[in-house]
Amino acid sequence: MFSAFRFVRKSRRAALLILASAVLAGCQVALPGGDGPRVRAGAPIDVALLLPYGSANAGDEIVARSLENAARLAAAEIQSADLQITVYNTGGNAAQAAEVARDAVQNGARVIVGPLRSDAAAAVGVAVAGRNVSVLSISNNTEIAGGNVFVLGHTFANTAERLASYAVRQGRNRIVILHAQNLAGEIARDAVQQAVANAGGSVAGVASYEFSQQGVVEAIPDVMSQIRSSGANGLVITSDASGALPLFAQLLPENGLDTEDVRVMGLTRWDVPPQTLEFSGLQGGWFALPDPDANAAFNARYIAAYGDAPHVLAPIGYDAMRAVAETAAEFGALGAGDLTASSGFAGANGVFRLRLNGTIQRAMAVAQVQESQVSIIDPAPGRLGGSGL
């Protein structure tokens, strides 16, 4: 049952290297509008697409192909700009990614889309930092964001903001956070803490667990104790279905958690895989997901063009091209300030916009698990209010 419980470890040393790269990338200060490479009206826009073709990881080839397909689909659909896409193989390697990024800029690339992972994206940001070229990475690691590097993946911070604001409006304003004792868990914890505070709620407790099956079992008494002693009315579990989520979904109700009194919420997609929705401990629970209507429309167009379903990351490749084309058409330039000046782009997963700090804001829907099915209880907004800065 728990064979899918995988261990994903990231060393502190690797994290520090990424952070150091982000600092270097952040040396460029972005100002709103007109700060990047100029683009002549009607002229082709050279876009470098850095993908992990040739990687030692067999799954990278599938991801790369789907991202390329989605990017080319966007280029074919967009009428406002002539995107000329050149693919550069990174081999799934940060050093190779940096090398081909320098080659791409030398060959005339006005903007870089990719690479896939955060270490490679940070390396690329440093490699082209002095060339005034923006990097729209596929990563969701906000630790590398800033300067000329953007992360277009779905981030913990964005999901936490959406979920916390909805929860507090519904009166679920005393939240316990449950996270793994690893880097990803700590980033998720911090995102939820900030989001709950921003929404006007309070963090009633924080429980953590060693990232192992035994660690999950041993954490249950502490979680339940914190919930009872604090009077919490919400519990955010940061793990996903391939990690500790299934085990918590089984053990928490067995140890007295009333999921009506304490609303269980997730920082990850509970509908992937669909079998996750069957756990009793998740019934009635909430999680956020991309705009289902926009995503379904994208999937249909992708399947019509290529004959099979896109990878879950494919929409990010599409969105990157949409941001490039619309920014070039509106501002005639592709710098960091230009890309963040828009009030929003219509993407494959719904409306999104880029922020000056290199992060992304995406419109998301809130779903509830009802009888092992996904029910949308708060649709994704069609526009993003307030400032994207």
Side-chain angles (χ1 to χ4, degrees):
M1 179 178 179
F2 301 111
S3 59
F5 194 99
R6 58 187 172 87
F7 294 79
V8 182
R9 293 189 175 93
K10 187 171 185 180
S11 71
R12 294 289 182 178
R13 181 175 181 273
L16 289 172
L17 288 174
I18 291 172
L19 284 170
S21 299
V23 170
L24 290 173
C27 291
Q28 283 183 230
V29 178
L31 298 174
D35 66 309
R38 303 302 301 176
V39 178
R40 290 187 293 110
I45 301 171
D46 291 328
V47 181
L49 183 58
L50 273 58
L51 296 174
Y53 287 119
S55 168
N57 185 341
D60 283 356
E61 193 81 12
I62 297 172
V63 178
R65 177 59 59 192
S66 202
L67 284 166
E68 181 182 352
N69 286 346
R72 296 195 183 281
L73 177 64
E77 291 181 351
I78 293 168
Q79 302 299 314
S80 59
D82 179 12
L83 303 182
Q84 300 296 310
I85 300 172
T86 302
V87 175
Y88 293 83
N89 300 349
T90 69
N93 178 274
Q96 184 172 326
E99 181 179 353
V100 299
R102 285 188 286 267
D103 290 343
V105 174
Q106 186 67 31
N107 293 337
R110 314 302 283 172
V111 66
I112 292 173
V113 173
L116 176 62
R117 296 188 175 87
S118 59
D119 59 341
V124 167
V126 172
V128 301
R131 306 298 297 272
N132 201 23
V133 172
S134 295
V135 180
L136 307 186
S137 77
I138 313 302
S139 172
N140 66 349
N141 183 354
T142 56
E143 299 294 327
I144 68 167
N148 62 338
V149 178
F150 292 90
V151 293
L152 270 66
H154 292 273
T155 67
F156 285 139
N158 188 79
T159 303
E161 286 174 6
R162 180 66 170 103
L163 201 56
S165 62
Y166 178 78
V168 172
R169 290 200 308 272
Q170 304 306 309
R172 303 289 178 165
N173 56 356
R174 299 186 305 281
I175 309 296
V176 169
I177 304 168
L178 176 56
H179 71 92
Q181 295 169 3
N182 58 18
L183 183 62
E186 290 164 5
I187 292 173
R189 174 202 62 201
D190 293 347
V192 176
Q193 287 178 321
Q194 186 64 57
V196 170
N198 291 346
S202 62
V203 175
V206 177
S208 64
Y209 57 94
E210 180 188 341
F211 199 38
S212 67
Q213 183 169 325
Q214 185 61 31
V216 169
V217 173
E218 292 176 351
I220 295 296
D222 179 48
V223 178
M224 293 305 303
S225 174
Q226 291 201 46
I227 290 172
R228 289 169 178 145
S229 63
S230 66
N233 53 22
L235 170 66
V236 174
I237 302 175
T238 66
S239 180
D240 62 15
S242 61
L245 179 63
L247 197 50
F248 280 122
Q250 174 187 325
L251 294 179
L252 286 169
E254 290 179 359
N255 283 269
L257 180 67
D258 187 328
T259 55
E260 287 297 321
D261 290 342
V262 180
R263 184 67 66 200
V264 178
M265 293 170 270
L267 207 56
T268 61
R269 293 281 296 271
W270 287 357
D271 57 332
V272 181
Q275 295 87 338
T276 308
L277 299 169
E278 298 173 7
F279 286 99
S280 61
L282 302 184
Q283 302 308 305
W286 298 338
F287 67 98
L289 73 167
D291 186 336
D293 294 335
N295 189 243
F298 166 76
N299 287 348
R301 300 197 308 276
Y302 185 102
I303 292 170
Y306 302 109
D308 58 0
H311 188 275
V312 68
L313 294 179
I316 301 174
Y318 182 97
D319 288 356
M321 296 301 164
R322 175 69 66 179
V324 168
E326 293 186 11
T327 298
E330 183 172 359
F331 300 108
L334 288 169
D338 308 297
L339 288 161
T340 57
S342 173
S343 60
F345 308 102
N349 274 336
V351 179
F352 71 97
R353 66 181 167 203
L354 302 176
R355 291 167 159 165
L356 273 174
N357 64 3
T359 64
I360 191 167
Q361 182 182 14
R362 291 185 176 275
M364 302 185 77
V366 177
Q368 184 171 40
V369 182
Q370 297 179 350
E371 298 180 352
S372 301
Q373 300 293 319
V374 175
S375 176
I376 302 300
I377 55 176
D378 196 33
R383 61 183 299 275
L384 297 169
S387 171
L389 303 181

